[in-house]
Amino acid sequence: MHERSSGAELAAILRAELNRYSPGEKLPSSRVLVERHRVSPVTVSRALAELVAEGLVVTRPGAGAFRAEPRSEASRPVDTSWQEIALSAEPAGDQVPRSVDASGVLATLARPAPGVIELNGGYLHPDLQPERALSAALARAGRRPGAWARPPVEGVPELRAWFAREIGGPGGALAASDILITAGGQSALTAALRAVAPPGAPVLVESPTYPGMLAAAHASGLRPVPVPTDADGVRTDLLADAFRASGARLFVCQPLFQNPTGAVLARERRREVLRVARAAGAFVIEDDFARLLGHDDAPPLPPTLSAEDQDGTVVHVRSLTKATSPNLRVGALAARGPVLDRLRAIQVVDSFFVPAPLQEAALELVGSPAWTRHLRLIAGELTTRRNALIAALHGQLPAFVERGPGYGAAYGGDPARGGGRYVPPGGYHLWLRLPDGTDEAALAGAALRAGVAVASGR
């Protein structure tokens, strides 16, 4: 049994036994609990920590654990009805409301109930997360001289240099000075939106697109303007029209393994995106979230748009989180010119800097032999699991995938291609086009009651 789950079970037992003790009375020692319940000292420590967090137990160094004194008074009810007015008041003039629908983001972050198969998460399955390598990297990082000293606000120099090589490619398009270390990809994306576009401005987005980006745009007071995509990525002919019609000075895209379609931006469209944006005097935010998640059968990956950018058009977002663990919230922004100064200022105001021990742990991880082995492992495992899911869908839910000519791909493909299916060669998204008339919310609810959590695509 995992220490984490057994710790929760022991906490439940101790919680039920607390009434045997008077407030302030000492509980059995850790050694007694280990022997009585046949668990490890780590499990006892986890259980007691849980009860301390709930305010049921207090610990005193050198003395032990005691039942907490009852609270002197119940929390007083607070009348917060006034907030309904303050939060819903319409802004003046042409400003855009900054209300945020975070449901799409919360769906990927919520922990499912025990026993539920999680098919709606936004991270690697725990079986694929490199926990042992992460633990070793964190331990080594903690022993580095100066690991707990305040880092440069831009990030640890060696980690910035690593990201510059990864993003800029072998041609050396980027220098370490072009990199800003961030607290994960979502933080980087939010900072980039705020740096490039003023509140109320339009921002061009792929349609469909990542719900977390839409939430971040709305939170910044921006107006998302959709630009259709197909199996080759964003429709660049329509992108030029959208820039002219909206007056936008920003386009946000995921050129590689786009969420949700899995599309890879075609070579000729890559050049066209940069040309069209430059002609419009606009920036391109390149959200390269899935570059480390290529499958075994993926073709050679194209370079980043940032590596081909000749005039500072691209602001690149990269993160280690998706390929490792939700807790390794280390990412990078790559940019050149005055926009980098603005990005740095926004990050300093928001969060000062990314903690040095976390940066050092990331540097230890990507510099170890375990990193290459891990990337090979997830490439193979994601391929196997993707194929298993597709086979199961064909066998168990043929109405979801067997579409007639003209309906396009079942998995995020192009309707213009007459029914051919597109199987994503990277990432871990597989979105289905439901049969006409399907009640999506009812379907997701029925799946959850059956023990499978799926994400709503609407």
Side-chain angles (χ1 to χ4, degrees), residues 62-88:
F66 302 80
R67 181 179 175 182
E69 298 286 345
R71 295 180 180 178
S72 57
E73 61 180 41
S75 59
R76 293 176 296 142
V78 178
D79 181 7
T80 60
S81 56
W82 65 272
Q83 294 184 5
E84 294 292 331
I85 299 174
L87 294 174
S88 62

Side-chain angles (χ1 to χ4, degrees), residues 64-136:
F66 302 80
R67 181 179 175 182
E69 298 286 345
R71 295 180 180 178
S72 57
E73 61 180 41
S75 59
R76 293 176 296 142
V78 178
D79 181 7
T80 60
S81 56
W82 65 272
Q83 294 184 5
E84 294 292 331
I85 299 174
L87 294 174
S88 62
E90 288 296 323
D94 295 330
Q95 295 181 14
V96 177
R98 301 183 73 170
S99 58
V100 180
D101 178 7
S103 57
V105 180
L106 291 173
T108 67
L109 296 177
R111 296 181 63 176
V116 173
I117 298 172
E118 186 179 8
L119 292 184
N120 65 338
Y123 301 101
L124 286 176
H125 188 276
D127 289 349
L128 300 183
Q129 294 174 19
E131 289 192 2
R132 184 173 299 178
L134 283 168
S135 297

Side-chain angles (χ1 to χ4, degrees), residues 74 85 107 150 179 189 202 225 253 303 366 399:
I85 299 174
R150 186 178 67 218
I179 303 296
L189 186 58
V225 177
C253 61
V366 299

Side-chain angles (χ1 to χ4, degrees), residues 91-258:
D94 295 330
Q95 295 181 14
V96 177
R98 301 183 73 170
S99 58
V100 180
D101 178 7
S103 57
V105 180
L106 291 173
T108 67
L109 296 177
R111 296 181 63 176
V116 173
I117 298 172
E118 186 179 8
L119 292 184
N120 65 338
Y123 301 101
L124 286 176
H125 188 276
D127 289 349
L128 300 183
Q129 294 174 19
E131 289 192 2
R132 184 173 299 178
L134 283 168
S135 297
L138 192 59
R140 292 193 301 271
R143 295 192 295 268
R144 282 191 173 197
W148 291 91
R150 186 178 67 218
V153 294
E154 297 88 353
V156 171
E158 295 84 354
L159 187 58
R160 296 172 71 197
W162 183 85
F163 271 113
R165 293 191 298 271
E166 288 290 306
I167 299 169
L174 294 172
S177 58
D178 299 321
I179 303 296
L180 178 67
I181 302 301
T182 67
Q186 186 70 16
S187 173
L189 186 58
T190 300
L193 288 168
R194 291 173 55 197
V196 174
V203 52
L204 305 186
V205 302
E206 296 169 313
S207 179
T209 192
Y210 165 52
M213 190 278 297
L214 294 176
H218 285 130
S220 300
L222 304 179
R223 294 189 289 110
V225 177
V227 183
T229 62
D230 58 26
D232 291 325
V234 67
R235 292 271 307 275
T236 46
D237 55 333
L238 300 179
L239 180 64
D241 293 339
F243 272 123
R244 284 192 295 268
S246 67
R249 292 295 179 265
L250 175 61
F251 171 52
V252 185
C253 61
Q254 294 177 329
L256 188 63
F257 311 139
Q258 196 255 3

